[in-house]
C-alpha cells in the first residue's frame, strides 16, 4: 500500500471520533427509545438501518456503541500507559532490585490469560465502564512496562543522558525530562495497539454480559442480541460485526502508520529521508 493511501487511516479515525463526539447533538433517534410495535422493522428514511428487537434505532445504537467502546479503549490505553511506562522507566534506569521487582510483577500478570483475568475481576466487582477501565488497564500494563524497559536500556547509556547526569540532575529529572521524550515513539505505537486490543476485549466481555450494562448500547451487546434474533432479522447481527471490524481495521491501520513514521529503520521513514535529502 502506497504512503498516500495509508494516510486514509488517520482521516477515517478522525471522522469516526468526530461522529462519536457529536452523536448526542446529531439529528438521530434516541438509542434507548423503544417501540414494540415496530420490532424488526426494515430500514427507512427515519431509521437508516432499521429497528431492533425492542424497536430501537439500530444506527443510533451503533454510533453510541462505538462511542462507548472508544471511550473505554482510550481510557484503558491512557491509564495502562501511565502506570506501565512509569514502572518500565523506573526499573530500566534504576536496575538492581527495582528491575527485578518490576519485571517479576509483570511476569505474574502475564501468567493469567487476559480474557480470564478480566472476566474474574468483572465478576467480582460488577460490570460497567467504571470497572472495565481499571481491569483492562491491569491487563495491558505489562506490555507498556516491557516496551518502556527495553527502550530505556537502549538510551540510558547514550551520551546525552551521561551529560545530563554529569551536570548533577536528579534521577527523577533524568527519567522524566531526558529519557521519556526519547522513548515516546515505541510507546505511541504500543498505545495504538492497546487501543485496538481493548476494543476487542471490551466487546467480548459485553457479549458475555460482563461489560457494558444494558440498556446502554454496546457493540458486544448488539452482537449477542443480534445472534439471538438472527432468524427474524439477520442484519441485526451483521451491522455491529461490520462496525467492530471497521474499528479494528482503522485502529490497526493507524498503528502501522505510527510504527512506520516513528521507526527510523522502516522503509517509509527511509524513503522520506531520501526525498528530503534529494
Amino acid at each position: 500500500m502506497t504512503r498516500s493511501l495509508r494516510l486514509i487511516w488517520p482521516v477515517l479515525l478522525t471522522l469516526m471520533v468526530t461522529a462519536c463526539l457529536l452523536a448526542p447533538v446529531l439529528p438521530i433517534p434516541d438509542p434507548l427509545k423503544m417501540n414494540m410495535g415496530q420490532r424488526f422493522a426494515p430500514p427507512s428514511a427515519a431509521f437508516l438501518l432499521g429497528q431492533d428487537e425492542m424497536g430501537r434505532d439500530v444506527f443510533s445504537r451503533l454510533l453510541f456503541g462505538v462511542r462507548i467502546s472508544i471511550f473505554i479503549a482510550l481510557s484503558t490505553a491512557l491509564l495502562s500507559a501511565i502506570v506501565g511506562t512509569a514502572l518500565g522507566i523506573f526499573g530500566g534506569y534504576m536496575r538492581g532490585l527495582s528491575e527485578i521487582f518490576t519485571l517479576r510483577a509483570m511476569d505474574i500478570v502475564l501468567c493469567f490469560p487476559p480474557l480470564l483475568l478480566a472476566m474474574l475481576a468483572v465478576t467480582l466487582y460488577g460490570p460497567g465502564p467504571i470497572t472495565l477501565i481499571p481491569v483492562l488497564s491491569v491487563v495491558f500494563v505489562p506490555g507498556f512496562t516491557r516496551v518502556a524497559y527495553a527502550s530505556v536500556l537502549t538510551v540510558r547509556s547514550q551520551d546525552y543522558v551521561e551529560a545530563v547526569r554529569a551536570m548533577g540532575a536528579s534521577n527523577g529529572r533524568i527519567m522524566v525530562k531526558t529519557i521519556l521524550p526519547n522513548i515516546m515513539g515505541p510507546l505511541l505505537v504500543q498505545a495504538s495497539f492497546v487501543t485496538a486490543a481493548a476494543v476487542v476485549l471490551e466487546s467480548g466481555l459485553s457479549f458475555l454480559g460482563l461489560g457494558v450494562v444494558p440498556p446502554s448500547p454496546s457493540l458486544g451487546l448488539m452482537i449477542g442480541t443480534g445472534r439471538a434474533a438472527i432468524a427474524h432479522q439477520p442484519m441485526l447481527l451483521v451491522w455491529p460485526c461490520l462496525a467492530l471490524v471497521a474499528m479494528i481495521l482503522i485502529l490497526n491501520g493507524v498503528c502501522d502508520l505510527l510504527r512506520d513514521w516513528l521507526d527510523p529503520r522502516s522503509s517509509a521513514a527511509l524513503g522520506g529521508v531520501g526525498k528530503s535529502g534529494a
Side-chain angles (χ1 to χ4, degrees):
M1 185 180 294
T2 63
R3 186 175 182 179
S4 58
L5 288 178
R6 299 186 70 176
L7 291 177
I8 195 174
W9 298 120
V11 174
L12 292 176
L13 179 62
T14 302
L15 293 175
M16 181 177 65
V17 173
T18 303
C20 292
L21 291 176
L22 297 178
V25 298
L26 292 177
I28 57 177
D30 186 347
L32 303 181
K33 184 178 180 180
M34 296 185 292
N35 186 354
M36 298 303 292
Q38 298 292 325
R39 297 174 68 242
F40 303 117
S44 62
F47 304 97
L48 297 179
L49 300 181
Q51 295 168 263
D52 64 6
E53 73 284 353
M54 297 291 182
R56 299 168 296 194
D57 180 50
V58 175
F59 177 76
S60 61
R61 288 185 64 80
L62 279 178
L63 198 56
F64 277 87
V66 172
R67 174 188 173 96
I68 292 178
S69 295
I70 290 179
F71 170 74
I72 293 176
L74 290 179
S75 301
T76 297
L78 178 62
L79 183 57
S80 59
I82 293 174
V83 177
T85 301
L87 292 175
I89 293 178
F90 184 76
Y93 183 77
M94 301 302 294
R95 306 300 295 268
L97 292 177
S98 301
E99 177 184 21
I100 296 174
F101 172 77
T102 301
L103 295 182
R104 297 296 79 80
M106 295 303 102
D107 289 341
I108 293 174
V109 177
L110 290 173
C111 289
F112 298 92
L115 182 58
L116 294 181
L117 181 61
M119 289 175 61
L120 175 62
V122 171
T123 303
L124 292 176
Y125 298 103
I130 303 301
T131 304
L132 277 178
I133 292 173
V135 167
L136 296 181
S137 298
V138 172
V139 172
F140 294 114
V141 160
F144 279 102
T145 302
R146 287 175 172 266
V147 170
Y149 172 79
S151 301
V152 170
L153 293 183
T154 302
V155 304
R156 70 187 304 270
S157 58
Q158 297 294 322
D159 292 339
Y160 57 85
V161 177
E162 295 294 339
V164 174
R165 185 184 297 114
M167 293 172 62
S170 64
N171 290 331
R173 182 177 180 85
I174 293 174
M175 288 187 284
V176 175
K177 297 291 187 178
T178 304
I179 292 181
L180 180 59
N182 287 281
I183 64 172
M184 285 301 296
L187 293 175
L188 288 175
V189 175
Q190 178 68 13
S192 61
F193 169 76
V194 166
T195 302
V199 169
V200 176
L201 194 52
E202 179 274 325
S203 299
L205 291 172
S206 297
F207 176 81
L208 297 173
L210 299 174
V212 178
V213 181
S216 298
S218 168
L219 296 181
L221 283 174
M222 294 181 69
I223 292 173
T225 56
R227 187 189 63 167
I230 191 172
H232 301 280
Q233 181 56 273
M235 295 306 295
L236 292 180
L237 177 62
V238 174
W239 293 126
C241 289
L242 289 178
L244 182 60
V245 170
M247 284 184 64
I248 301 305
L249 286 177
I250 292 173
L251 291 172
N252 284 340
V254 172
C255 178
D256 291 340
L257 196 61
L258 280 175
R259 181 197 60 201
D260 291 342
W261 277 353
L262 298 173
D263 185 1
R265 295 168 296 181
S266 66
S267 58
L270 291 176
V273 172
K275 291 179 181 179
S276 62

